[in-house]
Amino acid sequence: NAGVMQNPRHLVRRRGQEARLRCSPMKGHSHVYWYRQLPEEGLKFMVYLQKENIIDESGMPKERFSAEFPKEGPSILRIQQVVRGDSAAYFCASSPRSAGTGNTEAFFGQGTRLTVV
Amino acid sequence: GESVGLHLPTLSVQEGDNSIINCAYSNSASDYFIWYKQESGKGPQFIIDIRSNMDKRQGQRVTVLLNKTVKHLSLQIAATQPGDSAVYFCAESNAGGTSYGKLTFGQGTILTVHP
């Protein structure tokens, strides 16, 4: 059973460009979460999605950031017109559909390290 | 706002010693707690979890203790090995049973194990 897959692992963008980060959850998981980690800091929640729905985007910046989890394909975190402050590691996690099955922990991918130059 | 934090940012131990990493949380509504290990350049790796209706849970070489009275969580690692060197994060959730994936993370503790 493959884990959470994120790509690319490293992404370099110039200021003003767009960054698209992809996340494929574990098989059977329909809950996806995106987190951002700045150097020397813990992970900060950004957004929680289920298939075709945004459940909680309370951690998303109001502008330039968007996320989707389509019916088919990976979840995408999109950052438009990137700025240097967007440089960080972005992690995706997934969890099972039902929280009552006993396996309720979130599994994380290896992250995408975005560098804005 | 409510947050999860750690008392000590760094911990150095000798190989074979027991390690204790502490965490304080402030959200009394939290019902699920997890410890993650993060090695350099990698994503967080699940270590052990505990629900709020428990005060202790043991895994392989690790034990998590939860004291809800003082809102304190700890991770004990027995016979610490060099491979345990990493950053350790506690995280909490209060999703009320719908999903435990939305987590609030603490700052992290750097554990260094000397051979």
Side-chain angles (χ1 to χ4, degrees):
Chain A
N1 186 11
V4 178
M5 303 300 293
Q6 290 189 249
N7 67 84
R9 289 295 308 277
H10 300 275
L11 181 61
V12 179
R13 284 289 178 266
R14 295 186 183 276
R15 282 178 294 170
Q17 291 185 320
E18 178 181 288
R20 292 172 68 87
L21 288 62
R22 298 174 185 79
C23 169
S24 296
M26 288 181 67
K27 184 177 180 180
H29 288 191
S30 60
H31 297 209
V32 166
Y33 311 81
W34 285 94
Y35 290 82
R36 176 164 62 178
Q37 185 177 35
L38 297 172
E40 308 296 324
E41 293 189 9
L43 282 73
K44 303 294 185 185
F45 168 80
M46 299 182 73
V47 62
Y48 162 33
L49 310 102
Q50 294 183 25
K51 286 285 188 180
E52 299 184 279
N53 286 301
I54 297 174
I55 306 302
D56 184 337
E57 55 182 348
S58 58
M60 288 279 273
K62 299 300 181 187
E63 299 178 347
R64 302 189 296 108
F65 285 71
S66 62
E68 63 177 7
F69 189 14
K71 184 177 181 180
E72 300 291 337
S75 175
I76 305 291
L77 179 67
R78 181 183 180 200
I79 310 173
Q80 295 178 291
Q81 299 175 337
V82 295
V83 300
R84 287 205 172 130
D86 297 333
S87 295
Y90 292 84
F91 290 95
C92 170
S94 72
S95 63
R97 176 171 50 230
S98 171
T101 62
N103 290 325
T104 55
E105 67 267 21
F107 295 87
F108 282 82
Q110 296 298 302
T112 293
R113 280 147 187 83
L114 172 66
T115 302
V116 180
V117 298
Chain B
E2 309 252 17
S3 65
V4 178
L6 290 164
H7 294 300
L8 300 174
T10 61
L11 178 64
S12 293
V13 300
Q14 291 297 125
E15 182 178 2
D17 287 351
N18 296 331
S19 301
I20 300 176
I21 301 172
N22 296 301
C23 174
Y25 66 95
S26 58
N27 188 351
S28 57
S30 297
D31 54 11
Y32 183 56
F33 303 87
I34 312 174
W35 281 100
Y36 283 96
K37 172 186 180 183
Q38 187 176 27
E39 297 174 286
S40 180
K42 297 185 178 180
Q45 177 185 356
F46 173 88
I47 301 174
I48 191 168
D49 60 356
I50 189 168
R51 301 189 189 210
S52 58
N53 61 353
M54 304 171 66
D55 54 19
K56 180 180 180 179
R57 192 170 185 210
Q58 289 184 295
Q60 186 176 11
R61 284 201 307 118
V62 294
T63 300
V64 56
L65 299 176
L66 174 63
N67 185 332
K68 293 182 289 293
T69 301
V70 296
K71 297 177 188 170
H72 185 266
L73 190 71
S74 67
L75 176 69
Q76 300 177 2
I77 305 174
T80 315
Q81 303 168 0
D84 294 328
S85 295
V87 180
Y88 288 80
F89 293 97
C90 64
E92 57 93 4
S93 171
N94 64 342
T98 57
S99 173
Y100 291 97
K102 182 182 178 183
L103 302 166
T104 299
F105 281 80
Q107 183 181 8
T109 291
I110 301 171
L111 175 64
T112 303
V113 182
H114 301 283

